[in-house]
Amino acid sequence: MLPIWACTIMYSVIFTQMSSLFVEQGEAMDPRLRGFPLPAASMSAFDICSVLACTLLYRFLVVPLSNNPRGITELQRMGVGLLIGMLAMVAAGVTEIQRLRRVSPGEHASRLSILWQIPQYILVGASEVFMYVGQLEFFNGQAPDGIKSFGSSLCMASMSVGNYFSSMLVNLVMAVTVRGGAMPGWIPEDLNTGHMDRFYFLIAALAAVDLVLFVMCAKWYKCINLEEDDSTSCLKEGQLEDDELDRVSLNALSV
């Protein structure tokens, strides 16, 4: 179970970007929406809307099509979430390329509309529905009866380690790309002189490698067969998804 847990850390790195680099990227874009300024931090509302929409789609579309009251398996959900998270980083990188192309000399903000960030926020929200709910179900379900709380703690530990790893990755990338002060680096204070798109693509590449490792670990892992009726299973899944919605809402408010 621990190798699978280790593979979920990379997703937490992806999720962390939504409350850090996504906001910095948005602040360097055109925030005007028909004359009304749209704060960069408020773009996380699209993440919440995506979580709500994808949760409904999963319950009323994926579950009936799968002929299983729980839908696809927990490991499959986690894999899909990691894949969508990787696509979110690709979308963020493409947005950054377009933003840099529309920067006027001497100006901080690009002429590119902040609405270009919507796809990356939507993809992150969709990935949460699959990854975090599947992660909670998997670790809680596979943990022995006496230490069920250990499964929940693994989920929180994955997020914490992911945050630390994200900070380490940023510092490492800046140390390598600055090159003794001769270059501004990929993520300088003035994003117009950097290449944050390359950092996004780096995370996407790391996520792709992590996805391959996750698939290998998932095939190797032998799940514990839990005997529970369908009603209990559905209630548990619904509770986990409600907890995920509450967590996303609190995260958006903190941003």
Side-chain angles (χ1 to χ4, degrees):
M1 187 163 61
L2 289 180
I4 292 179
W5 170 82
C7 291
T8 63
I9 294 176
M10 192 62 219
Y11 176 80
S12 297
V13 174
I14 294 174
F15 180 77
T16 301
Q17 309 312 312
M18 185 179 65
S19 58
S20 56
L21 293 185
F22 280 16
V23 178
E24 292 189 22
Q25 183 185 45
E27 290 178 347
M29 301 174 72
D30 184 2
R32 293 171 296 178
L33 180 61
R34 294 184 178 180
F36 178 79
L38 190 64
S42 67
M43 294 295 291
S44 60
F46 290 99
D47 169 75
I48 299 175
C49 293
S50 177
V51 170
L52 294 172
C54 291
T55 300
L56 294 176
L57 287 175
Y58 184 84
R59 285 186 177 181
F60 297 106
L61 182 62
V62 177
V63 172
L65 290 176
S66 65
N67 295 322
N68 188 322
R70 303 185 68 174
I72 59 179
T73 66
E74 293 90 348
L75 291 175
Q76 288 174 340
R77 292 184 74 165
M78 294 164 66
V80 171
L82 186 57
L83 175 62
I84 298 176
M86 179 186 68
L87 295 178
M89 291 296 98
V90 174
V94 172
T95 299
E96 181 63 13
I97 291 176
Q98 297 300 321
R99 189 193 70 81
L100 290 174
R101 289 178 178 175
R102 290 168 173 79
V103 174
S104 300
E107 294 186 1
H108 171 70
S110 171
R111 291 179 284 108
L112 187 68
S113 173
I114 196 174
L115 297 181
W116 272 67
Q117 284 192 311
I118 292 178
Q120 61 202 60
Y121 277 99
I122 290 178
L123 288 172
V124 170
S127 67
E128 291 177 63
V129 174
F130 287 93
M131 171 57 79
Y132 281 138
V133 176
Q135 192 177 4
L136 284 170
E137 288 183 356
F138 176 76
F139 290 126
N140 284 332
Q142 298 302 303
D145 293 336
I147 53 172
K148 286 293 184 181
S149 59
F150 178 71
S152 299
S153 65
L154 284 177
C155 299
M156 299 298 103
S158 174
M159 297 177 64
S160 300
V161 176
N163 288 332
Y164 280 112
F165 185 74
S166 177
S167 299
M168 292 174 57
L169 186 60
V170 170
N171 292 332
L172 178 61
V173 166
M174 284 301 297
V176 173
T177 57
V178 167
R179 298 177 183 176
M183 301 291 291
W186 286 3
I187 317 174
E189 292 186 7
D190 184 3
L191 296 181
N192 297 333
T193 62
H195 282 284
M196 193 163 60
D197 54 313
R198 298 176 183 175
F199 182 73
Y200 285 136
F201 291 141
L202 173 62
I203 295 179
L206 293 176
V209 174
D210 184 63
L211 179 60
V212 173
L213 295 176
F214 175 81
V215 172
M216 294 174 60
C217 292
K219 288 185 176 181
W220 166 79
Y221 185 79
K222 301 297 182 182
C223 291
I224 300 174
N225 293 325
L226 300 177
E227 296 182 358
E228 58 182 5
D229 56 30
D230 292 345
S231 60
T232 303
S233 175
C234 292
L235 287 173
K236 181 184 292 184
E237 180 179 0
Q239 181 62 42
L240 289 172
E241 290 180 347
D242 291 341
D243 292 343
E244 167 63 10
L245 294 178
D246 293 340
R247 187 194 61 76
V248 173
S249 300
L250 291 174
N251 180 73
L253 291 175
S254 64
V255 172

